Amino acid sequence: MVVGNVRGVGGRYRIGPSVMTDALDADGIRRAVNDPGLDLPERPHESDLDDRLVNAFLTCEAGRDGSVRGRRNAMLAGSDVHCTARSRPASAAWPPR
């Protein structure tokens, strides 16, 4: 699956790309939400979105050293996740409201 914005192509939806630095990077998520123009306050609440966010695609992997920000963590391996798991969230956005 490939998603993106194309200049000159209209539509109701915009993609907001961002990269999270680790599994706790809320700022990475905020950057993705702000990129297409959904400005959020410093400490956002779900009501700040006002039904403007349709879907979010997130991928998270366990750090190779078994820690997040210097603290030990446990995360199951992703080897049992089928390759279509990345596209499943798209079904939540259809049909559009």
Side-chain angles (χ1 to χ4, degrees), residues 19-92:
V19 175
M20 295 172 63
T21 57
D22 60 34
L24 301 176
D25 185 15
D27 289 335
I29 295 171
R30 194 173 296 113
R31 284 190 303 272
V33 172
N34 287 338
D35 186 78
L38 302 179
D39 293 325
L40 295 177
E42 182 67 27
R43 296 195 56 172
H45 183 268
E46 65 181 84
S47 62
D48 296 323
L49 291 169
D50 194 30
D51 288 332
R52 297 175 297 160
L53 181 66
V54 174
N55 212 330
F57 296 88
L58 303 171
T59 301
C60 182
E61 295 181 12
R64 295 181 189 267
D65 66 354
S67 68
V68 175
R69 298 185 185 182
R71 302 290 303 258
R72 189 173 144 239
N73 76 67
M75 189 178 289
L76 298 175
S79 60
D80 63 333
V81 178
H82 192 269
C83 63
T84 62
R86 305 280 194 265
S87 62
R88 289 184 194 144
S91 63

Side-chain angles (χ1 to χ4, degrees), residues 4-15:
N5 299 312
V6 176
R7 190 169 291 158
V9 176
R12 294 174 43 189
Y13 305 109
R14 297 289 178 262
I15 305 297

